[in-house]
Amino acid sequence: MPPVTNKERFAYFCYGTGQCISFGLAGSFTLIFYTDVFGITAAVASLIFLFARAWDAVVDPMIASVMDTVSSKHGKFRVYLKYMPFVITLTTILCFVKIDAVESTKIIYAVITYVLWGTTYAVSDVPFWSMSAVMTNDPQERSRLVSYAGLAVSVGIAIPLLVFPFLLKLTHQWELNYAISSAILMLCGLFLMNFGYRHTKERVLSHNEKITMLQVFKTVSQNKPLFIVLIAFFTNLFSNVASSLAAYFFTYNMQNSELLSLYGMLNIVCAAGLLFVPALLKHITKKSLLIWLCISDVILRLIFFFVIGYHNQVTFFIFIAITGIVGAVSWPIMSAMIADTIDYTARITGNRCEAIMFAGQTFTGKLAIAVSGGLLGLILVVIKYVPNHPQTNYALQGLFFGLVLLPAIGSLLKIIILKFYNEQKVLATN
């Protein structure tokens, strides 16, 4: 089997980066757009997020099961990487279009556009992650690809944090400045995704015979380790809340929204730590490495909140960088664990079904965004946040708590959940 080239790894990274620019925009800015620009309350916005995820619970597995049963001349997964970038670009921009209408019409528009975004994102994200399982059958190379994918996630999500505030400032005099700013970013994302499609290849055949959708769902039902990893992955919702609170934190606590760009830049720099994951995994198992990262995250964040604070910007951003590295490295490890469960299931059932396995990750990620949106709305209510007004000390402390300590809760839960993951059993069949 021909080896994966450096150019191909870079192309895979580019596709993920371009795609996650959309994910970063939706995850970090839709709520503040709804509450501060579009005129929808945080409570209603949270219900929209939850409805969209209920829709995904039905649609995403169906989409993935179709992908596992059909193929094309462009490959099993590359065909989606060819066409979906154009659709994602459009649906992302539509999410940030401000319309002049009564509140009920605005809510309907928000529901339609956000659900469309979530659906089209799944049609791109599932094959993107599935590509890591069909570009090579070498476990070490696959771990490297997943690390590149994880780096792409971090960079793609960070780019909107870095660039979007400046674009909003440049276009603030225009009524549709959110839509214009998102369009500029998504056109860059479109270029990256198209480059990724053109320079990646599928090498591993998933199965020799066609399988039915019923067989697909039967196969995934026998993959118990997968569900444990997905539950652990779901705890990222606490980090999602922290990312969404960053826009509020720098605006009101730091009184300088432009610092959000520095926050985004640090996320990109910290994500480079992902490249060391394959080397680390030569000396320690994925499960053990992830648990130690979670323990470190909890300790660091407790020190951050109770000792460091945020009044000294230098020490504040140093701790942001350290916790950012710890958090970023966790992403590819969980994705690599999902890839391990694909091999595990293939050996006990005879079917790989990469699409629906990684659809679990896609759906879990979007579900985490939805729940984090609801949790974020609840937090804003509890701390008595008032849009576009100076905040009380109670609200400022609440924003700092959400930014720093909420991710520690997610790390604690991961440690507990991973105790039920039998890595020896999974790898024994690989």
Side-chain angles (χ1 to χ4, degrees):
M1 181 176 294
V4 178
T5 64
N6 287 330
K7 182 177 182 180
E8 194 172 359
R9 296 187 193 102
F10 178 68
Y12 187 57
F13 164 81
C14 284
Y15 190 96
T17 300
Q19 174 184 269
C20 285
I21 289 176
S22 170
F23 194 83
L25 281 169
S28 298
F29 294 100
T30 49
L31 182 60
I32 197 169
F33 171 73
Y34 286 160
T35 58
D36 290 20
V37 179
F38 206 46
I40 295 177
T41 66
V44 171
S46 299
L47 291 175
I48 292 173
F49 295 152
L50 290 174
F51 172 78
R53 297 299 78 83
W55 169 265
D56 290 339
V58 176
V59 174
D60 284 11
M62 298 299 293
I63 292 172
S65 63
V66 171
M67 291 180 184
D68 276 324
T69 58
V70 299
S71 188
S72 75
K73 65 179 182 180
H74 299 291
K76 183 178 179 180
F77 300 116
R78 287 185 70 249
V79 61
Y80 303 99
L81 273 57
K82 180 178 182 179
Y83 296 109
M84 291 314 298
F86 300 97
V87 185
I88 291 176
T89 298
L90 177 61
T91 55
T92 305
I93 297 170
L94 289 176
C95 285
F96 292 98
V97 173
K98 179 183 178 182
I99 62 172
D100 293 321
V102 298
E103 184 178 10
S104 59
T105 302
K106 289 182 178 180
I107 293 173
I108 293 172
Y109 177 84
V111 169
I112 293 173
T113 53
Y114 190 73
V115 167
L116 278 175
W117 169 80
T119 302
T120 56
Y121 189 87
V123 182
S124 173
D125 194 49
V126 170
F128 165 68
W129 286 99
S130 299
M131 282 290 293
S132 66
V134 297
M135 288 171 67
T136 179
N137 58 5
D138 180 358
Q140 286 295 325
E141 180 60 46
R142 189 170 56 201
S143 293
R144 183 181 298 180
L145 286 173
V146 172
S147 295
Y148 274 86
L151 178 61
V153 170
S154 297
V155 173
I157 291 175
I159 287 174
L161 293 174
L162 178 66
V163 179
F164 203 58
F166 281 113
L167 292 177
L168 292 178
K169 186 175 182 180
L170 290 174
T171 59
H172 73 277
Q173 71 273 24
W174 293 320
E175 181 71 15
L176 296 176
N177 68 319
Y178 266 79
I180 294 170
S181 299
S182 63
I184 293 171
L185 274 177
M186 286 310 303
L187 286 175
C188 296
L190 178 62
F191 172 80
L192 291 171
M193 287 186 280
N194 282 332
F195 178 84
Y197 158 72
R198 290 196 303 270
H199 299 288
T200 52
K201 300 176 182 178
E202 294 185 26
R203 296 176 175 83
V204 180
L205 295 177
S206 297
H207 41 67
N208 295 324
E209 298 180 356
K210 295 290 184 179
I211 63 174
T212 66
M213 291 179 64
L214 181 60
Q215 288 175 307
V216 169
F217 285 106
K218 183 178 180 180
T219 297
V220 75
S221 68
Q222 298 180 55
N223 193 342
K224 293 181 180 179
L226 170 68
F227 293 103
I228 296 173
V229 176
L230 292 180
I231 293 171
F233 189 77
F234 177 69
T235 63
N236 287 331
L237 73 94
F238 295 99
S239 295
N240 293 340
V241 174
S243 295
S244 297
L245 280 174
Y248 295 91
F249 177 83
F250 288 109
T251 299
Y252 297 105
N253 292 62
M254 294 293 201
Q255 297 184 6
N256 186 354
S257 60
E258 293 184 1
L259 287 176
L260 186 62
S261 297
L262 177 58
Y263 177 75
M265 183 182 297
L266 278 177
N267 284 338
I268 294 177
V269 174
C270 294
L274 294 167
L275 299 178
F276 295 99
V277 171
L280 290 172
L281 291 178
K282 292 180 180 179
H283 307 285
I284 186 172
T285 65
K286 299 180 184 71
K287 175 181 175 179
S288 297
L289 179 56
L290 188 53
I291 288 176
W292 278 112
L293 286 170
C294 291
I295 292 173
S296 301
D297 187 59
V298 172
I299 295 173
L300 286 168
R301 290 183 180 279
L302 287 173
I303 296 172
F304 195 174
F305 185 80
F306 290 105
V307 179
I308 303 302
Y310 63 88
H311 296 292
N312 186 311
Q313 289 190 9
V314 175
T315 54
F316 171 83
F317 278 107
I318 288 174
F319 264 77
I320 285 291
I322 296 172
T323 54
I325 292 173
V326 173
V329 173
S330 300
W331 273 82
I333 298 175
M334 286 184 283
S335 297
M337 291 169 75
I338 291 176
D340 287 341
T341 69
I342 291 175
D343 287 343
Y344 165 77
T345 306
R347 283 165 172 79
I348 64 175
T349 68
N351 299 319
R352 290 181 61 82
C353 300
E354 302 95 341
I356 199 165
M357 302 295 186
F358 278 110
Q361 176 177 288
T362 299
F363 169 70
T364 303
K366 290 194 295 184
L367 179 62
I369 286 183
V371 176
S372 65
L375 182 57
L376 176 58
L378 178 61
I379 290 174
L380 294 179
V381 171
V382 169
I383 67 175
K384 300 179 181 178
Y385 165 76
V386 181
N388 302 312
H389 284 80
Q391 306 301 316
T392 64
N393 288 332
Y394 175 73
L396 295 176
Q397 192 67 6
L399 291 173
F400 184 49
F401 172 87
L403 183 72
V404 174
L405 279 190
L406 277 181
I409 297 175
S411 292
L412 279 173
L413 291 174
K414 279 190 182 73
I415 294 171
I416 297 172
I417 294 165
L418 289 171
K419 293 295 184 181
F420 298 94
Y421 180 77
N422 190 336
E423 190 167 36
Q424 288 184 335
K425 179 179 179 181
V426 172
L427 297 179
T429 56
N430 287 350

